Amino acid sequence: MDLYGATALVIDGNPTSRSILVSQLRDMGARMVAQSPRIADARRQLEFRTFDVVVCEQNFPNDTGTGQALLDDLRRAGLLPFATVFIMVTTEASYSKVAEAAESALDSYLLKPFTANQLAQRIGQARHRKTVLRDIFEAVEAQRYEEAARLCLQRFEQRQDYWLYAARVGAELLLRLGRYDEAQRLYEAVVEAKALPWARLGVARAQIESGQLQKANQTLHSLIDSEPDYADAYDVMGRAQIELGNFDAALAAYKMATDLTPASISRLQRHGMLAHYCGQRDTAEALLARSVRLGLDSKMFDAQTLVLLGFMRFEAGDRKGLQRYWDDALRMVERHPKSWRLRRLAQVLEIALLLLDAQVARVLERLRAMMATINDEDFDFEAACNLATLLAYVAQRAIQIDEVEERLTVLGQRFCTSKALTALLAQAASAHPPYAERLAALHNEVLGIVEHAMRQSLAGNPRAAVRELIAQGEATCNAKIIESAWGVLKRYESRIEDAAALAELIQPLRTRYQSYTNKPVIGDKAARQAGGVSLRVMDVATADT
């Protein structure tokens, strides 16, 4: 195996074995071999540098993390380019877990003890795989997803080299393209050929995307029964339970995922955020504070964590703690000055600090400016929850804002799109129960709008139903109403003479308010959904700009 000119990274806590690996890679021709004795150091190197080959030990006795957890976090965040070969080194005792990690990452693993020739062979096989599949990933990186999906399906159907890998990438692409039924059929075909855990999880993911939540729940329970240590399955189970509105079950699933991978920054944040919205403040603070300690400077770190921790410090009257989190947020803004999201999150913390200092005039000025943006295209559900929390804190202190009732109604009309999202939004305003109750009630008002239009459709006038839903969608910016208009139009298209003209009215609303992707997702800013594959290189640091 010739690595002439290649760069490599060795991650191993044992200095002797690390030195041996470095020598072996240099003997293969690597021009530069970096070393890292700890998971945290390795994560930083991999976030900011690109290597041709990474050789990583699975077990770190003096560290909280594992090689598998590191690999999983990097893949989930889209931080490992396709061209990088990731080789895991392990003992016989942990073979099954590492085999699953290798299946997910689709590179390779080595059982100890091994020779230099065996290492070279594994690297050569992995690089050959990447060469064979280069046309697929060139299409993906150029965002020619239809072409890439076609190439994957062709390789799978013809059982060409690496057809299982092609099937996984192809199914991921089909999910991205919104072709959920095709993705599910492809995953099921893989399960039939070889019942791999990721394929069974893929079936569940496709079922969730197509709205088959109860079927997804059954699929996930079956998978977890047979693969109780498969952390990705608990991630997806948590997501399914959130969509079903079963927050206690979602918390239990996320707890299992964090217990299995206690050093995973993304999982700690997801679990902590949901715990916060479910009122479990002590659990939330412990999890989120741990994620700060592990990865404040990591590209995997989500600044919303600082906001929620800041809210907890506000409630405790801890000005120093709140100031610290605001300072952390400002440093993130300095690193990514083009990120509108980071600026908005820092502003939320600033308002909380001003409120704690009783600077009422400045609080009202900033809150009014924020309330004026509720129907802006980039004002999302996260922003809605943060604003609801701030408004509840202001009301809790008996500070009067004349227009707050009207703006709260506008907020709820836009974001109370499902039972689950309404519950989360209402919980965000729990510091002032009347606001929480008002937001909870707005979901029924949205349902009433949809049901009134549907009655017109059932009475034989689908065009009137579509027109009414379009008008209400424009007025409220509510994703459920907008998607209901699209659903009625597509169902009765043949009976509506001006269906094409109505479609031209609905599509801009769907695009502007992303109604077709309206999902209750907690702490999932990563590039890759649980159970999926990182399909292309992306700059996660600027993904929110």
Side-chain angles (χ1 to χ4, degrees):
M1 173 63 203
D2 185 5
L3 287 179
Y4 179 75
T7 59
L9 173 65
V10 175
I11 311 167
D12 195 321
N14 185 304
T16 302
S17 58
R18 190 169 69 246
S19 177
I20 291 170
L21 282 167
V22 169
S23 296
Q24 290 174 338
L25 290 166
R26 283 176 177 159
D27 289 343
M28 294 176 203
R31 67 174 171 84
M32 189 280 291
V33 183
Q35 305 179 45
S36 181
R38 299 192 308 140
I39 292 288
D41 296 336
R43 181 184 284 121
R44 280 192 289 272
Q45 290 210 55
L46 288 163
E47 286 182 4
F48 296 101
R49 298 174 64 184
T50 298
F51 296 92
D52 298 304
V53 177
V54 177
V55 182
C56 181
E57 168 64 51
Q58 158 70 356
N59 298 304
F60 289 76
N62 299 320
D63 206 328
T64 55
T66 64
Q68 180 179 350
L70 171 65
L71 175 62
D72 182 61
D73 259 6
L74 292 166
R75 293 287 185 190
R76 285 179 59 78
L79 294 173
L80 274 183
F82 170 68
T84 298
V85 170
F86 197 109
I87 307 289
M88 195 84 75
V89 177
T90 185
T91 61
E92 187 75 37
S94 56
Y95 165 78
S96 60
K97 287 188 177 181
V98 176
E100 175 55 38
E103 192 79 62
S104 299
L106 299 154
D107 285 332
S108 196
Y109 55 88
L110 267 173
L111 286 176
K112 294 179 177 178
F114 58 86
T115 66
N117 284 337
Q118 289 172 319
L119 175 61
Q121 184 182 34
R122 286 286 198 278
I123 294 173
Q125 289 170 345
R127 296 188 93 184
H128 176 257
R129 181 190 298 118
K130 292 175 185 294
T131 300
V132 169
L133 300 173
R134 181 174 294 155
D135 58 343
I136 292 173
F137 276 86
E138 284 179 349
V140 169
E141 289 173 0
Q143 299 185 35
R144 301 193 305 270
Y145 299 135
E146 294 281 359
E147 176 188 341
R150 178 181 56 77
L151 291 169
C152 288
L153 292 171
Q154 177 181 307
R155 184 167 291 274
F156 170 74
E157 291 164 357
Q158 296 177 4
R159 295 298 194 269
Q160 295 174 336
D161 289 347
Y162 311 119
W163 59 273
L164 273 176
Y165 178 60
R168 187 172 194 184
V169 174
E172 191 73 27
L173 288 163
L174 292 171
L175 285 176
R176 178 174 293 197
L177 292 166
R179 292 156 59 179
Y180 307 130
D181 291 343
E182 293 176 70
Q184 183 174 336
R185 286 195 295 271
L186 183 52
Y187 280 126
E188 288 171 344
V190 174
V191 171
E192 187 175 345
K194 188 177 180 182
L196 296 168
W198 61 258
R200 296 170 65 190
L201 187 59
V203 172
R205 292 175 63 217
Q207 289 169 334
I208 290 172
E209 294 294 349
S210 59
Q212 304 174 67
L213 295 175
Q214 294 297 344
K215 284 187 177 180
N217 195 31
Q218 294 169 8
T219 302
L220 288 164
H221 275 296
S222 174
L223 173 57
I224 288 170
D225 284 345
S226 61
E227 303 286 342
D229 293 334
Y230 190 19
D232 271 7
Y234 295 103
D235 291 335
V236 179
M237 174 65 87
R239 181 184 166 200
Q241 295 301 332
I242 288 173
E243 293 208 25
L244 287 166
N246 301 329
F247 296 115
D248 287 343
L251 274 172
Y254 285 162
K255 183 179 186 302
M256 284 300 301
T258 52
D259 287 348
L260 287 167
T261 57
S264 170
I265 296 168
S266 57
R267 288 191 172 113
L268 285 168
Q269 291 181 128
R270 188 184 309 110
H271 184 189
M273 287 180 187
L274 183 59
H276 170 85
Y277 288 119
C278 289
Q280 298 183 12
R281 294 294 201 268
D282 290 344
T283 298
E285 187 158 18
L287 292 164
L288 296 176
R290 177 169 169 73
S291 76
V292 171
R293 292 192 299 273
L294 282 174
L296 179 59
D297 295 326
S298 169
K299 290 183 179 180
M300 300 171 205
F301 187 78
D302 187 341
Q304 175 69 4
T305 291
L306 298 175
V307 170
L308 298 187
L309 286 168
F311 285 161
M312 292 177 222
R313 292 299 85 214
F314 176 91
E315 292 169 5
D318 178 6
R319 189 192 189 285
K320 185 177 179 181
L322 176 53
Q323 176 78 50
R324 182 175 69 250
Y325 291 126
W326 183 41
D327 290 342
D328 287 338
L330 290 176
R331 280 190 286 272
M332 293 185 74
V333 172
E334 287 175 5
R335 292 200 301 271
H336 309 294
K338 295 182 180 179
S339 174
W340 56 264
R341 176 175 177 256
L342 288 179
R343 291 197 301 273
R344 185 162 62 200
L345 294 177
Q347 184 183 43
V348 168
L349 288 166
E350 180 190 18
I351 294 171
L353 192 61
L354 291 170
L355 184 57
L356 199 59
D357 290 341
Q359 296 191 39
V360 176
R362 296 175 67 188
V363 168
L364 296 182
E365 177 189 4
R366 283 162 174 73
L367 275 179
R368 285 191 167 109
M370 191 175 287
M371 287 191 292
T373 68
I374 289 173
N375 282 337
D376 287 359
E377 189 171 343
D378 61 4
F379 191 94
D380 58 11
F381 184 74
E382 174 186 82
C385 286
N386 290 340
L387 176 57
T389 299
L390 290 173
L391 292 174
Y393 287 158
V394 168
Q396 190 182 51
R397 281 160 171 71
I399 298 172
Q400 182 68 32
I401 305 178
D402 293 337
E403 67 272 29
V404 69
E405 296 288 345
E406 181 267 334
R407 298 314 292 168
L408 195 72
T409 298
V410 171
L411 187 77
Q413 285 177 336
R414 177 171 179 183
F415 291 103
C416 292
T417 56
S418 69
K419 179 182 176 182
L421 285 173
T422 301
L424 291 172
L425 186 58
Q427 180 59 38
S430 60
H432 187 61
Y435 286 178
E437 292 165 8
R438 175 59 182 145
L439 289 169
L442 281 165
H443 181 233
N444 290 330
E445 293 183 21
V446 170
L447 287 178
I449 290 170
V450 174
E451 289 169 0
H452 181 268
M454 291 303 182
R455 283 196 292 272
Q456 292 196 68
S457 178
L458 293 172
N461 195 351
R463 183 181 183 279
V466 173
R467 295 289 304 184
E468 180 178 336
L469 289 168
I470 291 173
Q472 293 285 2
E474 289 174 334
T476 64
C477 311
N478 184 281
K480 181 177 181 64
I481 294 173
I482 293 167
E483 277 307 290
S484 296
W486 183 251
V488 173
L489 178 66
K490 299 309 290 183
R491 181 175 181 179
Y492 296 102
E493 198 167 14
S494 61
R495 293 169 51 187
I496 300 175
E497 291 184 3
D498 58 345
L502 293 176
E504 289 180 3
L505 295 176
I506 300 172
Q507 281 292 17
L509 293 174
R510 297 183 81 215
T511 300
R512 182 175 185 185
Y513 298 110
Q514 296 288 295
S515 58
Y516 47 85
T517 60
N518 185 53
K519 302 284 183 181
V521 175
I522 296 290
D524 249 325
K525 302 290 182 187
R528 164 188 171 271
Q529 290 286 343
V533 180
S534 178
L535 290 179
R536 66 185 177 91
V537 178
M538 69 176 290
D539 184 359
V540 177
T542 58
D544 296 321
T545 58

